[in-house]
């Protein structure tokens, strides 16, 4: 499937047949972080896992703002030409919040996966700045090594195959893309007050050992959204879709079956 970003055609990987799901990846990753989950959902859904700007399938110059990433996802949803279920993982959740503030009628159900409504505080912004300085001076390598223990649980860090897979995804990102993501996350708007304005079916998911968006914070976020459901993924860190893909696919599958299939058929 082809969508447009800044006037350039972008290839959107898709698999399966059924109601459409759009899965937005996080930092410092690309759409491949959803591969196992997408495969497991593709028996019931048409699954799209686009690369945000600056990645393999979408090599346009990234603009360093959540709004520009949301513009692209909006174009993906428009080209899907169907009601969609939207899932945003972490930075992808920040993009989903930005998009939902535009009230897209075609998004009918929302999954917020290991993400946060709060903006960066001053310390968080300073950390983004430090990471930008690191990637400019030393490239992507140190970013990968610093991120791995934040993405995976201690158990996940013992799985060499998993660690290598995540490292490979991070190392194929360019320094410009990493910098764009960091600037976008640093400057993102706070969405806490927006939570009560979400009126569509919403699922909140967090890994038991998530150190970036903790289960406690995620549960509190779900409590602010009318009717939202919260699911904790046992034994996983932040990167639940790669660490526990079967549990995440089951949670998303059941949620979107219930809230999307009936509406789009
Ligand atoms: C992500 O997983 O997308 C990021 O780590 C989120 C963040 O750093 O705020």
């Amino acid at each position: 499937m082809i969508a447009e970003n800044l006037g350039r055609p972008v290839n959107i990987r898709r698999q399966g047949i059924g109601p459409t799901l759009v899965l937005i990846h996080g930092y410092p990753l690309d759409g491949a972080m959803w591969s196992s989950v997408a495969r497991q959902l593709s028996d019931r859904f048409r699954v799209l896992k686009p690369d945000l700007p600056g990645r393999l399938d979408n090599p346009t110059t990234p603009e360093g703002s959540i709004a520009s990433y949301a513009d692209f996802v909006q174009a993906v949803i428009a080209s899907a030409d169907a009601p969609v279920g939207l899932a945003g993982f972490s930075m992808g959740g920040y993009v989903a919040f930005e998009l939902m503030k535009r009230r897209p009628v075609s998004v009918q159900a929302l999954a917020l996966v290991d993400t946060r409504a709060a903006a960066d505080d001053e310390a968080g912004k300073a950390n983004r700045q430090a990471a930008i300085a690191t990637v400019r001076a030393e490239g992507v390598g140190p970013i990968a090594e610093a991120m791995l223990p934040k993405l995976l649980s201690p158990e996940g860090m013992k799985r060499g195959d998993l660690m290598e897979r995540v490292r490979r995804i991070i190392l194929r990102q360019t320094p410009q893309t990493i910098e764009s993501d960091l600037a976008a996350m640093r400057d993102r708007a706070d969405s806490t007050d927006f939570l009560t304005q979400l009126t569509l079916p919403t699922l909140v998911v967090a890994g038991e050992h998530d150190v970036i968006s903790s289960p406690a914070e995620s549960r509190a976020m779900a409590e602010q959204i009318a009717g939202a459901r919260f699911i904790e993924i046992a034994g996983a860190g932040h990167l639940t879709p790669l660490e526990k893909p079967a549990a995440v696919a089951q949670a998303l599958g059941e949620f979107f079956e219930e809230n999307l299939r009936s509406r789009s058929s």
Side-chain angles (χ1 to χ4, degrees), residues 112-207:
L112 298 166
V113 182
D114 301 276
T115 194
R116 313 180 61 208
D120 278 4
D121 59 15
E122 286 312 312
K125 286 182 199 289
N127 288 339
R128 305 287 190 203
Q129 232 16 72
I132 287 174
T134 299
V135 77
R136 279 186 188 164
E138 299 170 57
V140 180
I143 300 286
E145 297 319 308
M147 282 305 292
L148 278 166
K150 295 184 192 161
L151 292 169
L152 300 175
S153 69
E155 276 308 303
M157 288 294 286
K158 291 186 195 149
R159 289 168 52 192
D161 56 333
L162 175 65
M163 217 167 69
E164 267 323 301
R165 194 161 165 214
V166 179
R167 185 182 274 128
R168 243 194 343 265
I169 296 176
I170 300 175
L171 290 179
R172 70 181 174 221
Q173 310 310 323
T174 67
Q176 292 76 13
T177 299
I178 298 291
E179 181 168 344
S180 169
D181 288 0
L182 288 163
M185 293 191 289
R186 178 196 62 202
D187 299 338
R188 75 185 187 277
D190 195 293
S191 297
T192 313
D193 289 345
F194 177 65
L195 296 175
T196 53
Q197 293 179 45
L198 280 169
T199 51
L200 77 175
T202 303
L203 172 69
V204 177
V205 176

Side-chain angles (χ1 to χ4, degrees), residues 25-29 89-92 94 114 116 120 128 147 151 185 188 212 238:
H25 66 79
Y27 161 87
L29 304 162
F89 167 79
S90 202
M91 180 180 73
Y94 310 156
D114 301 276
R116 313 180 61 208
D120 278 4
R128 305 287 190 203
M147 282 305 292
L151 292 169
M185 293 191 289
R188 75 185 187 277
I212 295 179
H238 181 61

Side-chain angles (χ1 to χ4, degrees), residues 19-248:
T20 305
L21 301 185
V22 178
L23 311 180
I24 316 174
H25 66 79
Y27 161 87
L29 304 162
D30 57 36
M33 63 149 279
W34 285 111
S35 294
S36 309
V37 170
R39 202 172 317 116
Q40 293 179 50
L41 290 172
S42 63
D43 60 343
R44 286 161 288 162
F45 297 97
R46 177 172 72 140
V47 187
L48 312 182
K49 45 183 178 67
D51 281 350
L52 290 172
R55 273 87 180 172
L56 286 181
D57 283 344
N58 187 357
T60 44
T61 306
E63 291 186 358
S65 70
I66 294 294
S68 64
Y69 292 177
D71 289 344
F72 167 64
V73 176
Q74 195 172 326
V76 172
I77 291 172
S79 61
D81 197 23
V84 304
L86 182 66
F89 167 79
S90 202
M91 180 180 73
Y94 310 156
V95 176
F97 280 130
E98 167 69 25
L99 196 64
M100 295 315 298
K101 289 173 187 168
R102 303 176 187 178
R103 309 200 184 276
V105 285
S106 45
V107 178
Q108 300 210 333
L110 174 68
L112 298 166
V113 182
D114 301 276
T115 194
R116 313 180 61 208
D120 278 4
D121 59 15
E122 286 312 312
K125 286 182 199 289
N127 288 339
R128 305 287 190 203
Q129 232 16 72
I132 287 174
T134 299
V135 77
R136 279 186 188 164
E138 299 170 57
V140 180
I143 300 286
E145 297 319 308
M147 282 305 292
L148 278 166
K150 295 184 192 161
L151 292 169
L152 300 175
S153 69
E155 276 308 303
M157 288 294 286
K158 291 186 195 149
R159 289 168 52 192
D161 56 333
L162 175 65
M163 217 167 69
E164 267 323 301
R165 194 161 165 214
V166 179
R167 185 182 274 128
R168 243 194 343 265
I169 296 176
I170 300 175
L171 290 179
R172 70 181 174 221
Q173 310 310 323
T174 67
Q176 292 76 13
T177 299
I178 298 291
E179 181 168 344
S180 169
D181 288 0
L182 288 163
M185 293 191 289
R186 178 196 62 202
D187 299 338
R188 75 185 187 277
D190 195 293
S191 297
T192 313
D193 289 345
F194 177 65
L195 296 175
T196 53
Q197 293 179 45
L198 280 169
T199 51
L200 77 175
T202 303
L203 172 69
V204 177
V205 176
E208 182 187 5
H209 306 296
D210 189 335
V211 292
I212 295 179
S213 39
S214 71
E217 186 175 353
S218 300
R219 189 185 295 276
M221 183 165 77
E223 283 167 2
Q224 292 298 306
I225 305 169
R229 200 178 305 164
F230 172 69
I231 293 182
E232 184 173 305
I233 305 294
H238 181 61
L239 192 43
T240 53
L242 268 172
E243 205 169 340
K244 297 285 178 191
V248 173

